[in-house]
Amino acid sequence: MAQAYKGGGGNGSGTTGPGTRLRRQGGPLRGDRGYWRRGIVLAVLAILLALVMVLHAQIPNTVGNLGSLTETFLPWLGVFVPVLLVLGLVRRSATAVIAVLAPAIVWFNLFGGLLTDKTGSGGDLTVVTHNVNAENADPAGTAKDVSASGAQVVALEEVTAQALPTYRDALARQYPYHAVKGTVGLWSKYPLSDTQSVDIKLGWTRALRTTVATPHGKVAVYVAHLPSVRVKLNSGFTASQRDKSADALGEAIADEPLDKVVLLGDLNGTMNDRALKGVTSQMRSTQGAAGSGFGFSWPAGFPMARIDQIMVKGVEPVTSWTLPRTGSDHLPIAARVDI
């Protein structure tokens, strides 16, 4: 009897019967509360990530311009979403996986529209802007590349006194009209008038305004190169001079008498950066309205941010895109608009 009881196993208290093994295998699948208890830290990180994206405008700039730094690279926070998802799956944590939905939804709400192709056809004016880099070793080649875009209006920033004659000669045939103020210039197939420097509170000239007489009407075109920003360990995101210049540029555009306005230039900031609100609050980004993707323009080797901008007021963006790399550390960007 003892032998039969020990080996027969189905209903006794033995530990080696097939029924016992079945319960052991099925238990974790049916009743393991660890699926909800594991991954709490990952879930907290996911919620914090979502909060940073939702409340980015509330991150203060008082300490190292942390808010502007976050907003400059805000789209890249989405990279952490699949990372947290994979870690949640590895941990077999239902809590973490569900929590990751929060930053995913927020990111798609903020940037999902940029993933769609909004480019159109038509338009009657093509414009290009390019920070050509003061240390560009091939200004003639850069000018050739930019003019190959077929644009009627080309803006260049970081044009040094030494390289200016090269740009003038290389662009003269296609663009008979040009204006240069300081280190920024505009080349046009259409006549220019009322050209003047724009004071962006730098002490030297890095912005201009001119009137382009297109066949479809006059357009005020601004070319600007706002001060550079730096990320330093001891002072954070140093952007105070850029912010002051952005406000001054915004005031100049607000006072513009013409209804149709195009802004071309290197603003050293993205459309998400609150410090540029003096400009962005009154103008539309052609990339956001009629582009495909994020249109990152800097650095040229591995673009991570769109700090070069084409913005419009009173004209309709039709399409917007980036051009191939030149000898600069920025990519040229282009847009076609309907006047």
Side-chain angles (χ1 to χ4, degrees), residues 222 246-256 258-259 261-263 271 276-285 311-315:
Y222 287 75
D247 290 340
L249 178 62
E251 292 173 4
I253 293 172
D255 293 337
E256 171 58 48
L258 293 181
D259 294 331
V261 185
V262 175
L263 170 62
M271 292 296 295
L276 301 186
K277 66 181 179 181
V279 177
T280 57
S281 63
Q282 55 181 321
M283 305 190 79
R284 300 172 67 193
S285 163
M311 303 179 67
V312 298
K313 180 170 69 172
V315 301

Side-chain angles (χ1 to χ4, degrees), residues 32 70-71 74 88 114 121 124 136 156 176 185 273:
D32 182 8
T70 301
E71 289 165 339
L74 193 61
L114 294 175
S121 58
D124 43 39
N136 193 325
L156 301 181
D273 193 336

